Amino acid sequence: MNTHKTIFDTTLRDGEQTPGVSLTNEQKLKIARQLDKLGVDVLEAGFPVSSDGERQNVRAIANEGLSLDVCGLARVLTKDLDACIDCNVDMIHTFVSTSDIQRIHTIKKSREEVVAMAVNAVEYIKDHGVKCMFSAMDATRTDLDYLIEVYKAVEGAGCDIINVPDTVGIMAPSSMYQLVKNINNEVNIPIDVHCHNDFGIAVANSLMAAEAGASQIQVTINGIGERAGNANLAEVVMCLHSIYGAKTNINTEYLLETAKMVENYTGIHMPANTPIVGDNAFAHESGIHTHGVLEKSDTFEPGIMTPEMVGHKRRIVIGKHAGKHAVKKSLEDMGIETTEEQLDEILIRIKDIANKGKRICDADLHAVASAVLGRNLGNETIILKEFSVMTGNLTTPTAVVRAKIGDEEAVASNFGVGPIDAALKAVELMIGGYTKVKVRDFSLEAITGGSDALAEVTISVEDEHGRVVSAQSASADIATASVDALITAINILLEKKKLWSME
């Protein structure tokens, strides 16, 4: 499949239909701009007839002057089509149910009526000078002969591209291949596919459709969408590029950046093991793996896809499965040199800690190395003096932090959506003149019970070059634990930066 495929993104339409997700107008506009930067060919901005707010969103995106085509969704109803036309979209995606189960029980139309409605909608769109995509909803449960009849009818009406949706996600990849192959043999306009992930094979079905002749694939960022979601853009694109040798217009170096934006706006967290863009996608802990990767990355990574290709970074993780090479490399990154005997002792202590179920952070490795070498490694650039947080149901959470940074005293205050957010933002503001960092990950776990439970906070901070350092702290006061962990991580990062600046 050494050919070019176009990418149709429906994050702002089907993606926003994810249960519990509701994007603001400004968030939608920012995502649209990001998708344009990413290189998406078509963006489905929304379903304009559904509400006045939705219509305003779609119109704003259509008028943004983006390079991609902006598409609006519409049923085969004149009011829906007019709503899209009123938004000045480049393309209208119109649809009607064609499977017997949906046709009989939802729209209650005969097969002949459905064909007529589809043709009328396509002709209406083309009469208004707009590109048209027609979708036979629930195509994968539609009688094949009838499905082809519908597609041929809209092709004759001037449709630009047809969509084959696996609406309820029930196709096996081999069946998807055969279906698209059959349709491709009968129609002469491009084929697009829209696969749902109910059985976890939306990406596989999309790729099989592409093998069978589909020229365009519908996707969402992070695979969000109705029920179990849609085909994941990053996975589809990187499979096309790296495995199939196909081309798209996607600028893959922005995949992680885009995924993080959508994760942040939707609140749908990506599991660490998410392919391509997850935190663990290029992370290694096993001693055998890390040894190999440190020698040559292709030994335990695909090779045909590197972290740099998708805007990611390789990470060596220290834990119970870590080997001597990984620990040595991590210590060297901190500017710590050891003898073989010291290295062996550090490895033993690290494994002892990890075997008790504790996640090993950079701060832990630093502390263990200090103990084994019998000296304090590095200085604390930032020494916390005091901090306070004011919050309540009538007060915007506000934090004030005072610390000694080098030989100077610094004070900063900031607001947040909660006391922890305010405290962390105050620290970031306070150290802004010394180094640029942002909180990359934050996790909280209660390690004792009761209202006075001891909480353990783990924080990862990232500098302007994408380098990450992690630290933990435990306290009955969550805000205290959070600030302590953050400052510990920043201190280690500052020590590392001194080393990096000498390289």
Side-chain angles (χ1 to χ4, degrees), residues 419-469:
I420 296 174
D421 185 48
L424 299 184
K425 285 180 177 176
V427 173
E428 289 181 30
L429 181 63
M430 181 182 66
I431 56 93
Y434 299 86
T435 186
K436 299 294 182 184
V437 300
K438 63 179 180 180
V439 176
R440 187 172 183 269
D441 292 300
F442 176 95
S443 64
L444 171 67
E445 182 180 359
I447 53 179
T448 59
S451 59
D452 59 347
L454 193 65
E456 184 176 72
V457 171
T458 303
I459 284 182
S460 295
V461 298
E462 182 176 3
D463 71 4
E464 65 272 25
H465 301 293
R467 295 175 292 215
V468 179
V469 168

Tab-separated table of all heavy atoms in Angstrom, residues 419-469:
chain	number	residue	atom	x	y	z
A	419	PRO	N	-6.699	24.420	46.058
A	419	PRO	CA	-5.524	24.782	46.858
A	419	PRO	C	-4.221	24.205	46.322
A	419	PRO	O	-3.187	24.870	46.347
A	419	PRO	CB	-5.855	24.238	48.249
A	419	PRO	CG	-6.936	23.230	48.037
A	419	PRO	CD	-7.713	23.698	46.856
A	420	ILE	N	-4.247	22.966	45.844
A	420	ILE	CA	-3.024	22.359	45.317
A	420	ILE	C	-2.601	23.056	44.032
A	420	ILE	O	-1.424	23.400	43.845
A	420	ILE	CB	-3.230	20.847	45.074
A	420	ILE	CG1	-3.504	20.132	46.396
A	420	ILE	CG2	-2.008	20.241	44.387
A	420	ILE	CD1	-3.851	18.674	46.241
A	421	ASP	N	-3.557	23.293	43.151
A	421	ASP	CA	-3.258	23.985	41.892
A	421	ASP	C	-2.666	25.363	42.174
A	421	ASP	O	-1.682	25.782	41.551
A	421	ASP	CB	-4.539	24.106	41.066
A	421	ASP	CG	-4.303	24.715	39.690
A	421	ASP	OD1	-3.370	24.266	39.006
A	421	ASP	OD2	-5.056	25.629	39.313
A	422	ALA	N	-3.247	26.071	43.140
A	422	ALA	CA	-2.751	27.408	43.490
A	422	ALA	C	-1.325	27.330	44.035
A	422	ALA	O	-0.460	28.142	43.670
A	422	ALA	CB	-3.676	28.052	44.510
A	423	ALA	N	-1.060	26.352	44.899
A	423	ALA	CA	0.272	26.211	45.500
A	423	ALA	C	1.325	25.896	44.449
A	423	ALA	O	2.415	26.490	44.438
A	423	ALA	CB	0.245	25.124	46.571
A	424	LEU	N	1.019	24.970	43.558
A	424	LEU	CA	1.988	24.591	42.524
A	424	LEU	C	2.240	25.742	41.559
A	424	LEU	O	3.379	25.979	41.135
A	424	LEU	CB	1.497	23.350	41.771
A	424	LEU	CG	1.310	22.080	42.609
A	424	LEU	CD1	0.927	20.900	41.724
A	424	LEU	CD2	2.567	21.746	43.396
A	425	LYS	N	1.175	26.470	41.211
A	425	LYS	CA	1.343	27.613	40.312
A	425	LYS	C	2.169	28.721	40.974
A	425	LYS	O	2.943	29.409	40.305
A	425	LYS	CB	-0.018	28.147	39.889
A	425	LYS	CG	-0.725	27.285	38.850
A	425	LYS	CD	-2.073	27.862	38.461
A	425	LYS	CE	-2.729	27.039	37.364
A	425	LYS	NZ	-4.091	27.543	37.029
A	426	ALA	N	2.025	28.881	42.282
A	426	ALA	CA	2.813	29.888	42.999
A	426	ALA	C	4.298	29.527	42.965
A	426	ALA	O	5.152	30.401	42.774
A	426	ALA	CB	2.317	30.017	44.437
A	427	VAL	N	4.613	28.248	43.140
A	427	VAL	CA	6.014	27.817	43.081
A	427	VAL	C	6.579	28.037	41.677
A	427	VAL	O	7.692	28.552	41.513
A	427	VAL	CB	6.155	26.337	43.490
A	427	VAL	CG1	7.592	25.853	43.261
A	427	VAL	CG2	5.756	26.134	44.937
A	428	GLU	N	5.813	27.655	40.653
A	428	GLU	CA	6.266	27.848	39.274
A	428	GLU	C	6.540	29.320	38.995
A	428	GLU	O	7.520	29.668	38.336
A	428	GLU	CB	5.224	27.303	38.292
A	428	GLU	CG	5.110	25.787	38.270
A	428	GLU	CD	4.083	25.301	37.265
A	428	GLU	OE1	3.870	25.980	36.249
A	428	GLU	OE2	3.467	24.243	37.498
A	429	LEU	N	5.650	30.190	39.494
A	429	LEU	CA	5.835	31.630	39.302
A	429	LEU	C	7.078	32.120	40.040
A	429	LEU	O	7.859	32.928	39.506
A	429	LEU	CB	4.597	32.375	39.806
A	429	LEU	CG	4.605	33.904	39.666
A	429	LEU	CD1	4.656	34.315	38.200
A	429	LEU	CD2	3.349	34.495	40.330
A	430	MET	N	7.295	31.619	41.241
A	430	MET	CA	8.412	32.053	42.062
A	430	MET	C	9.752	31.735	41.413
A	430	MET	O	10.695	32.543	41.485
A	430	MET	CB	8.330	31.392	43.438
A	430	MET	CG	9.433	31.789	44.402
A	430	MET	SD	9.295	30.922	45.979
A	430	MET	CE	9.603	29.230	45.476
A	431	ILE	N	9.864	30.585	40.780
A	431	ILE	CA	11.165	30.181	40.223
A	431	ILE	C	11.276	30.530	38.731
A	431	ILE	O	12.241	30.152	38.070
A	431	ILE	CB	11.421	28.673	40.453
A	431	ILE	CG1	10.301	27.791	39.865
A	431	ILE	CG2	11.552	28.380	41.934
A	431	ILE	CD1	10.534	27.312	38.486
A	432	GLY	N	10.289	31.261	38.212
A	432	GLY	CA	10.266	31.592	36.785
A	432	GLY	C	11.493	32.331	36.300
A	432	GLY	O	11.906	32.183	35.142
A	433	GLY	N	12.109	33.149	37.166
A	433	GLY	CA	13.295	33.896	36.760
A	433	GLY	C	14.558	33.061	36.758
A	433	GLY	O	15.599	33.508	36.265
A	434	TYR	N	14.484	31.839	37.311
A	434	TYR	CA	15.662	30.988	37.417
A	434	TYR	C	15.624	29.843	36.409
A	434	TYR	O	16.653	29.482	35.840
A	434	TYR	CB	15.766	30.417	38.838
A	434	TYR	CG	15.906	31.497	39.885
A	434	TYR	CD1	14.777	32.120	40.426
A	434	TYR	CD2	17.157	31.908	40.321
A	434	TYR	CE1	14.900	33.117	41.385
A	434	TYR	CE2	17.294	32.911	41.272
A	434	TYR	CZ	16.155	33.521	41.796
A	434	TYR	OH	16.289	34.519	42.723
A	435	THR	N	14.475	29.273	36.222
A	435	THR	CA	14.328	28.194	35.253
A	435	THR	C	12.862	28.076	34.858
A	435	THR	O	11.968	28.399	35.650
A	435	THR	CB	14.821	26.846	35.832
A	435	THR	OG1	14.784	25.848	34.809
A	435	THR	CG2	13.969	26.399	37.001
A	436	LYS	N	12.626	27.642	33.643
A	436	LYS	CA	11.262	27.454	33.152
A	436	LYS	C	10.885	25.982	33.304
A	436	LYS	O	11.508	25.115	32.686
A	436	LYS	CB	11.144	27.881	31.685
A	436	LYS	CG	11.470	29.344	31.426
A	436	LYS	CD	10.448	30.259	32.087
A	436	LYS	CE	10.743	31.716	31.779
A	436	LYS	NZ	9.825	32.644	32.481
A	437	VAL	N	9.922	25.710	34.153
A	437	VAL	CA	9.448	24.341	34.329
A	437	VAL	C	7.930	24.323	34.335
A	437	VAL	O	7.285	25.344	34.589
A	437	VAL	CB	9.959	23.705	35.642
A	437	VAL	CG1	11.467	23.662	35.693
A	437	VAL	CG2	9.390	24.432	36.839
A	438	LYS	N	7.384	23.163	34.043
A	438	LYS	CA	5.943	22.970	34.171
A	438	LYS	C	5.687	21.597	34.763
A	438	LYS	O	6.483	20.660	34.581
A	438	LYS	CB	5.245	23.102	32.823
A	438	LYS	CG	5.640	22.061	31.783
A	438	LYS	CD	4.875	22.261	30.475
A	438	LYS	CE	5.268	21.209	29.439
A	438	LYS	NZ	4.532	21.383	28.164
A	439	VAL	N	4.607	21.489	35.492
A	439	VAL	CA	4.223	20.189	36.052
A	439	VAL	C	3.688	19.328	34.927
A	439	VAL	O	2.714	19.676	34.265
A	439	VAL	CB	3.164	20.347	37.159
A	439	VAL	CG1	2.707	18.981	37.646
A	439	VAL	CG2	3.727	21.160	38.318
A	440	ARG	N	4.354	18.214	34.692
A	440	ARG	CA	3.967	17.326	33.593
A	440	ARG	C	2.964	16.271	34.061
A	440	ARG	O	1.994	15.973	33.384
A	440	ARG	CB	5.212	16.648	33.024
A	440	ARG	CG	4.977	15.820	31.762
A	440	ARG	CD	6.321	15.374	31.214
A	440	ARG	NE	6.177	14.626	29.973
A	440	ARG	CZ	6.052	13.314	29.904
A	440	ARG	NH1	6.032	12.603	31.028
A	440	ARG	NH2	5.941	12.696	28.743
A	441	ASP	N	3.226	15.711	35.235
A	441	ASP	CA	2.330	14.688	35.788
A	441	ASP	C	2.191	14.906	37.288
A	441	ASP	O	3.146	15.305	37.966
A	441	ASP	CB	2.871	13.275	35.532
A	441	ASP	CG	2.839	12.897	34.063
A	441	ASP	OD1	1.742	12.892	33.489
A	441	ASP	OD2	3.917	12.640	33.511
A	442	PHE	N	1.018	14.605	37.788
A	442	PHE	CA	0.739	14.735	39.215
A	442	PHE	C	-0.145	13.568	39.625
A	442	PHE	O	-1.181	13.315	38.999
A	442	PHE	CB	0.023	16.064	39.497
A	442	PHE	CG	-0.397	16.245	40.935
A	442	PHE	CD1	0.420	16.942	41.815
A	442	PHE	CD2	-1.591	15.721	41.419
A	442	PHE	CE1	0.047	17.118	43.147
A	442	PHE	CE2	-1.967	15.881	42.737
A	442	PHE	CZ	-1.150	16.584	43.611
A	443	SER	N	0.258	12.840	40.638
A	443	SER	CA	-0.587	11.751	41.135
A	443	SER	C	-0.613	11.789	42.653
A	443	SER	O	0.363	12.184	43.305
A	443	SER	CB	-0.099	10.392	40.641
A	443	SER	OG	1.181	10.099	41.154
A	444	LEU	N	-1.729	11.373	43.201
A	444	LEU	CA	-1.969	11.427	44.644
A	444	LEU	C	-2.510	10.087	45.106
A	444	LEU	O	-3.426	9.534	44.488
A	444	LEU	CB	-2.959	12.552	44.957
A	444	LEU	CG	-3.498	12.652	46.383
A	444	LEU	CD1	-2.376	13.038	47.342
A	444	LEU	CD2	-4.628	13.672	46.443
A	445	GLU	N	-1.955	9.567	46.190
A	445	GLU	CA	-2.425	8.284	46.718
A	445	GLU	C	-2.451	8.338	48.235
A	445	GLU	O	-1.475	8.756	48.873
A	445	GLU	CB	-1.503	7.155	46.255
A	445	GLU	CG	-1.946	5.778	46.728
A	445	GLU	CD	-1.023	4.677	46.256
A	445	GLU	OE1	-0.053	4.992	45.545
A	445	GLU	OE2	-1.276	3.519	46.602
A	446	ALA	N	-3.581	7.951	48.831
A	446	ALA	CA	-3.670	7.868	50.292
A	446	ALA	C	-3.009	6.572	50.733
A	446	ALA	O	-3.371	5.493	50.272
A	446	ALA	CB	-5.124	7.904	50.726
A	447	ILE	N	-2.016	6.677	51.644
A	447	ILE	CA	-1.299	5.467	52.062
A	447	ILE	C	-1.658	5.036	53.479
A	447	ILE	O	-1.140	4.047	53.984
A	447	ILE	CB	0.230	5.652	51.925
A	447	ILE	CG1	0.709	6.900	52.657
A	447	ILE	CG2	0.625	5.737	50.470
A	447	ILE	CD1	2.213	7.120	52.564
A	448	THR	N	-2.544	5.780	54.133
A	448	THR	CA	-3.160	5.325	55.387
A	448	THR	C	-4.635	5.690	55.319
A	448	THR	O	-5.065	6.399	54.409
A	448	THR	CB	-2.519	5.993	56.623
A	448	THR	OG1	-2.671	7.411	56.519
A	448	THR	CG2	-1.034	5.655	56.724
A	449	GLY	N	-5.429	5.210	56.246
A	449	GLY	CA	-6.862	5.483	56.226
A	449	GLY	C	-7.253	6.586	57.188
A	449	GLY	O	-6.445	7.102	57.953
A	450	GLY	N	-8.530	6.955	57.160
A	450	GLY	CA	-9.049	7.958	58.075
A	450	GLY	C	-8.990	9.360	57.517
A	450	GLY	O	-8.382	9.622	56.487
A	451	SER	N	-9.622	10.297	58.241
A	451	SER	CA	-9.665	11.684	57.782
A	451	SER	C	-8.295	12.350	57.854
A	451	SER	O	-8.061	13.383	57.219
A	451	SER	CB	-10.670	12.485	58.615
A	451	SER	OG	-10.313	12.447	59.988
A	452	ASP	N	-7.375	11.773	58.660
A	452	ASP	CA	-6.022	12.313	58.757
A	452	ASP	C	-5.036	11.442	57.974
A	452	ASP	O	-3.864	11.323	58.328
A	452	ASP	CB	-5.573	12.423	60.214
A	452	ASP	CG	-5.592	11.068	60.919
A	452	ASP	OD1	-6.177	10.113	60.352
A	452	ASP	OD2	-5.029	10.977	62.023
A	453	ALA	N	-5.524	10.828	56.911
A	453	ALA	CA	-4.717	9.890	56.126
A	453	ALA	C	-3.443	10.551	55.615
A	453	ALA	O	-3.412	11.721	55.246
A	453	ALA	CB	-5.530	9.367	54.940
A	454	LEU	N	-2.372	9.763	55.601
A	454	LEU	CA	-1.115	10.214	55.040
A	454	LEU	C	-1.202	10.087	53.523
A	454	LEU	O	-1.526	9.024	52.995
A	454	LEU	CB	0.034	9.363	55.575
A	454	LEU	CG	1.461	9.872	55.351
A	454	LEU	CD1	1.681	11.177	56.104
A	454	LEU	CD2	2.462	8.813	55.801
A	455	ALA	N	-0.933	11.170	52.815
A	455	ALA	CA	-1.040	11.172	51.355
A	455	ALA	C	0.348	11.223	50.739
A	455	ALA	O	1.235	11.943	51.216
A	455	ALA	CB	-1.847	12.375	50.894
A	456	GLU	N	0.542	10.449	49.697
A	456	GLU	CA	1.806	10.448	48.967
A	456	GLU	C	1.586	11.094	47.607
A	456	GLU	O	0.722	10.670	46.840
A	456	GLU	CB	2.349	9.029	48.795
A	456	GLU	CG	3.717	8.988	48.119
A	456	GLU	CD	4.276	7.582	48.056
A	456	GLU	OE1	3.742	6.785	47.256
A	456	GLU	OE2	5.212	7.290	48.804
A	457	VAL	N	2.352	12.117	47.336
A	457	VAL	CA	2.245	12.852	46.073
A	457	VAL	C	3.467	12.540	45.215
A	457	VAL	O	4.605	12.574	45.713
A	457	VAL	CB	2.151	14.372	46.315
A	457	VAL	CG1	2.268	15.141	44.997
A	457	VAL	CG2	0.836	14.713	47.003
A	458	THR	N	3.236	12.232	43.949
A	458	THR	CA	4.320	12.041	42.979
A	458	THR	C	4.172	13.094	41.894
A	458	THR	O	3.091	13.242	41.310
A	458	THR	CB	4.267	10.644	42.341
A	458	THR	OG1	4.315	9.658	43.373
A	458	THR	CG2	5.435	10.438	41.391
A	459	ILE	N	5.240	13.825	41.641
A	459	ILE	CA	5.209	14.904	40.655
A	459	ILE	C	6.362	14.734	39.671
A	459	ILE	O	7.480	14.393	40.063
A	459	ILE	CB	5.328	16.288	41.343
A	459	ILE	CG1	3.998	16.673	41.993
A	459	ILE	CG2	5.736	17.380	40.361
A	459	ILE	CD1	4.003	18.038	42.651
A	460	SER	N	6.064	14.950	38.401
A	460	SER	CA	7.104	15.025	37.371
A	460	SER	C	7.107	16.431	36.820
A	460	SER	O	6.042	16.985	36.527
A	460	SER	CB	6.829	14.027	36.240
A	460	SER	OG	6.920	12.702	36.705
A	461	VAL	N	8.289	17.031	36.704
A	461	VAL	CA	8.406	18.365	36.122
A	461	VAL	C	9.222	18.280	34.846
A	461	VAL	O	10.110	17.435	34.713
A	461	VAL	CB	9.035	19.375	37.106
A	461	VAL	CG1	8.173	19.538	38.328
A	461	VAL	CG2	10.444	18.960	37.501
A	462	GLU	N	8.908	19.173	33.925
A	462	GLU	CA	9.565	19.180	32.617
A	462	GLU	C	10.137	20.559	32.350
A	462	GLU	O	9.478	21.574	32.595
A	462	GLU	CB	8.541	18.806	31.539
A	462	GLU	CG	9.107	18.717	30.128
A	462	GLU	CD	8.060	18.252	29.120
A	462	GLU	OE1	6.890	18.064	29.527
A	462	GLU	OE2	8.414	18.096	27.944
A	463	ASP	N	11.370	20.613	31.840
A	463	ASP	CA	11.959	21.906	31.517
A	463	ASP	C	11.657	22.285	30.075
A	463	ASP	O	10.937	21.569	29.374
A	463	ASP	CB	13.462	21.919	31.803
A	463	ASP	CG	14.274	21.071	30.822
A	463	ASP	OD1	13.690	20.516	29.865
A	463	ASP	OD2	15.501	20.961	31.015
A	464	GLU	N	12.228	23.410	29.630
A	464	GLU	CA	11.901	23.916	28.293
A	464	GLU	C	12.450	23.034	27.176
A	464	GLU	O	12.046	23.165	26.018
A	464	GLU	CB	12.432	25.340	28.134
A	464	GLU	CG	13.954	25.497	28.180
A	464	GLU	CD	14.496	25.688	29.586
A	464	GLU	OE1	13.831	25.252	30.557
A	464	GLU	OE2	15.586	26.276	29.715
A	465	HIS	N	13.346	22.102	27.516
A	465	HIS	CA	13.909	21.194	26.519
A	465	HIS	C	13.231	19.824	26.543
A	465	HIS	O	13.682	18.899	25.879
A	465	HIS	CB	15.411	21.032	26.744
A	465	HIS	CG	16.175	22.329	26.675
A	465	HIS	ND1	16.305	23.055	25.512
A	465	HIS	CD2	16.813	23.040	27.646
A	465	HIS	CE1	17.010	24.153	25.743
A	465	HIS	NE2	17.318	24.172	27.031
A	466	GLY	N	12.187	19.693	27.340
A	466	GLY	CA	11.452	18.438	27.406
A	466	GLY	C	12.062	17.403	28.323
A	466	GLY	O	11.634	16.247	28.329
A	467	ARG	N	13.039	17.793	29.136
A	467	ARG	CA	13.660	16.858	30.063
A	467	ARG	C	12.829	16.767	31.337
A	467	ARG	O	12.383	17.788	31.859
A	467	ARG	CB	15.093	17.288	30.357
A	467	ARG	CG	15.978	17.201	29.107
A	467	ARG	CD	17.377	17.722	29.314
A	467	ARG	NE	17.430	19.146	29.530
A	467	ARG	CZ	18.413	19.940	29.088
A	467	ARG	NH1	19.401	19.417	28.375
A	467	ARG	NH2	18.414	21.235	29.351
A	468	VAL	N	12.638	15.554	31.835
A	468	VAL	CA	11.689	15.301	32.925
A	468	VAL	C	12.398	14.759	34.153
A	468	VAL	O	13.279	13.900	34.050
A	468	VAL	CB	10.590	14.311	32.469
A	468	VAL	CG1	9.617	14.037	33.602
A	468	VAL	CG2	9.850	14.851	31.252
A	469	VAL	N	12.003	15.252	35.330
A	469	VAL	CA	12.508	14.774	36.621
A	469	VAL	C	11.314	14.536	37.537
A	469	VAL	O	10.340	15.300	37.506
A	469	VAL	CB	13.467	15.805	37.257
A	469	VAL	CG1	13.753	15.465	38.707
A	469	VAL	CG2	14.780	15.855	36.478
